[in-house]
């Protein structure tokens, strides 16, 4: 078990990470004069220098050479970089097109989609409460589809791409900063090529939007890396159940921003859909906490049995040792 001060530090890092992710719509909104594709390209291009600086600071280079000798893992990293690029583009476009609420919905339903992937791809078996949560989440999507007359495709695409990214990451098996660095290394050249293309056409916001916008675009790399670093520091200090509950902070911040800052419409049918999603997440969280508590109780019981067995064996050994002299033959 982690010391109390370590857990407290982990909570601070986790809250910082999810708060930054939740407030990212404000950053992208400040760049709304630039096209989403250019914002994405800057995010990809400037992330690599940040990653290199971090790797140099922690002196963590030994993973690169073995990785280059594994084509399968390199292929998975390429897929990861592609999928997360699509996710980033949809999110940036959604924010700057007035769909912050639907974007937040995508990250609310992401855990449910991840569970679905676990069943369909990894052949995992769900507990009854998990099935209930997935059913309620599916009902929420159906309610919004019927109410709006269209599928909430922004939310679904964000959830599907991020869940796919998480699934692929399981096969890559790299820590946070290593995985981030490998993915940004793949993203860098296409992003740089696109930015050069925009510059030659005179369509680059980096060169025509003034110093402020240029600095904001360059800061996309830091805005991408900082929450990831804080998340990594949190993940090594907190149990997964705590991290699982904290993941709802980011879409909650996004929801509040969409409602109170960007003043997006929230008709009754949208409230109904969100309410159903929140019910599903509450069921999922309660089941996860109950399962974790039961697991801890079982581990404690096994540990107690092991201690009792060890104590019994020690007592038996002591009794045998005491009886041994009586069994020895009498010496002259």
């Amino acid at each position: 078990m982690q010391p109390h001060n370590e857990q407290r530090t982990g909570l601070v890092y986790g809250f910082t990470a999810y708060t930054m992710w939740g407030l990212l719509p404000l950053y992208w909104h400040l760049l709304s004069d630039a096209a989403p594709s250019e914002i994405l390209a800057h995010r990809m291009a400037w992330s690599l220098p940040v990653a290199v600086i971090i790797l140099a600071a922690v002196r963590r280079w030994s993973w690169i050479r073995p990785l280059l000798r594994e084509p399968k893992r390199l292929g998975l990293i390429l897929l990861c970089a592609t999928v997360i690029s699509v996710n980033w583009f949809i999110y940036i476009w959604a924010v700057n097109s007035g769909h912050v609420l639907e974007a937040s919905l995508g990250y609310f339903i992401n855990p449910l989609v991840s569970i679905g992937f676990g069943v369909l791809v990894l052949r995992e078996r769900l507990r009854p409460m998990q099935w209930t949560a997935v059913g309620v989440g599916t009902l929420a999507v159906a309610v919004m589809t019927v109410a709006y007359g269209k599928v909430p495709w922004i939310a679904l695409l964000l959830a599907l791409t991020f869940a796919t990214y998480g699934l692929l990451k399981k096969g890559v098996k790299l820590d946070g900063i290593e995985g981030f660095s490998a993915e940004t290394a793949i993203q860098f050249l296409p992003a740089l090529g696109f930015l050069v293309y925009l510059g030659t056409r005179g369509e680059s916001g980096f060169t025509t939007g003034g110093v402020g916008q240029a600095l904001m675009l360059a800061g996309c790399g830091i805005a991408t890396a900082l929450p990831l670093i804080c998340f990594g520091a949190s993940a090594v200090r907190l149990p997964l159940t705590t991290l699982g509950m904290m993941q709802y902070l980011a879409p909650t911040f996004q929801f509040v921003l969409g409602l109170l800052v960007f003043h997006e419409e929230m008709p009754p049918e949208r409230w109904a859909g969100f309410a159903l999603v929140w019910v599903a997440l509450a069921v999922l969280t309660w089941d996860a906490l109950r399962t974790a508590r039961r697991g801890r109780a079982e581990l404690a019981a096994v540990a107690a049995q092991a201690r009792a067995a060890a104590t019994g064996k020690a007592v038996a050994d002591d009794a045998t040792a005491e009886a041994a002299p009586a069994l020895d033959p009498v010496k002259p």
Side-chain angles (χ1 to χ4, degrees), residues 83-132:
V83 171
I84 199 62
S85 298
V86 173
N87 178 272
W88 288 352
F89 176 79
I90 295 170
Y91 183 64
I92 294 168
W93 177 87
V95 168
N96 288 349
S97 301
H99 299 287
V100 176
L101 287 175
E102 192 170 339
S104 74
L105 176 64
Y107 290 106
F108 273 127
I109 66 177
N110 174 68
L112 303 174
V113 176
S114 295
I115 289 175
F117 277 12
V119 174
L120 297 176
V121 180
L122 302 179
R123 304 299 180 186
E124 296 176 353
R125 297 182 62 181
L126 297 188
R127 296 183 294 273
M129 296 305 294
Q130 288 177 312
W131 278 116
T132 301

Side-chain angles (χ1 to χ4, degrees), residues 60-81:
R60 198 179 297 175
W61 307 100
S62 59
W63 57 276
I64 298 176
R65 187 172 295 176
L67 178 64
L68 294 176
R69 294 195 292 263
E70 298 185 54
K72 183 178 179 180
R73 291 178 76 195
L74 287 173
L76 286 175
I77 292 172
L78 174 61
L79 288 175
C80 284

Side-chain angles (χ1 to χ4, degrees), residues 146-171:
V146 172
Y148 282 96
K150 62 178 182 179
V151 176
W153 65 269
I154 296 174
L156 290 178
L157 284 177
L158 285 172
L160 286 170
T161 51
F162 202 73
T164 302
Y165 177 70
L167 183 66
L168 292 170
K169 292 282 280 185
K170 285 182 174 292

Side-chain angles (χ1 to χ4, degrees), residues 14-15 34 41 84 95 139 149 152 155 199 210 223 282 292 296 329:
F15 184 79
I84 199 62
V95 168
L139 177 62
R296 287 194 297 269

Side-chain angles (χ1 to χ4, degrees), residues 74-270:
L74 287 173
L76 286 175
I77 292 172
L78 174 61
L79 288 175
C80 284
T82 302
V83 171
I84 199 62
S85 298
V86 173
N87 178 272
W88 288 352
F89 176 79
I90 295 170
Y91 183 64
I92 294 168
W93 177 87
V95 168
N96 288 349
S97 301
H99 299 287
V100 176
L101 287 175
E102 192 170 339
S104 74
L105 176 64
Y107 290 106
F108 273 127
I109 66 177
N110 174 68
L112 303 174
V113 176
S114 295
I115 289 175
F117 277 12
V119 174
L120 297 176
V121 180
L122 302 179
R123 304 299 180 186
E124 296 176 353
R125 297 182 62 181
L126 297 188
R127 296 183 294 273
M129 296 305 294
Q130 288 177 312
W131 278 116
T132 301
V134 171
V136 174
T138 304
L139 177 62
V141 174
V143 165
M144 290 191 178
T145 300
V146 172
Y148 282 96
K150 62 178 182 179
V151 176
W153 65 269
I154 296 174
L156 290 178
L157 284 177
L158 285 172
L160 286 170
T161 51
F162 202 73
T164 302
Y165 177 70
L167 183 66
L168 292 170
K169 292 282 280 185
K170 285 182 174 292
V172 173
K173 298 178 181 177
L174 283 177
D175 289 340
I177 183 58
E178 286 92 341
F180 174 69
S181 302
E183 290 160 20
T184 54
I186 290 174
Q187 293 171 328
F188 180 76
L189 286 180
L192 183 62
F194 180 70
L195 292 175
V196 170
Y197 168 75
L198 289 180
T200 59
R201 293 174 56 89
E203 299 174 359
S204 171
F206 186 80
T207 57
T208 62
V211 175
Q213 179 156 300
L215 291 175
M216 290 288 291
L217 288 169
C220 289
I222 297 175
T224 301
L226 274 183
L228 180 65
I229 295 168
C230 291
F231 174 78
S234 176
V236 299
R237 291 174 170 86
L238 294 177
L240 287 177
T241 49
T242 305
L243 278 177
M245 287 185 289
M246 292 186 75
Q247 71 177 315
Y248 304 131
L249 284 173
T252 299
F253 281 121
Q254 294 164 13
F255 177 82
V256 172
L257 287 177
L259 198 64
L260 302 181
V261 177
F262 300 112
H263 304 292
E264 295 184 12
E265 293 184 3
M266 195 68 176
E269 56 269 22
R270 178 172 276 188

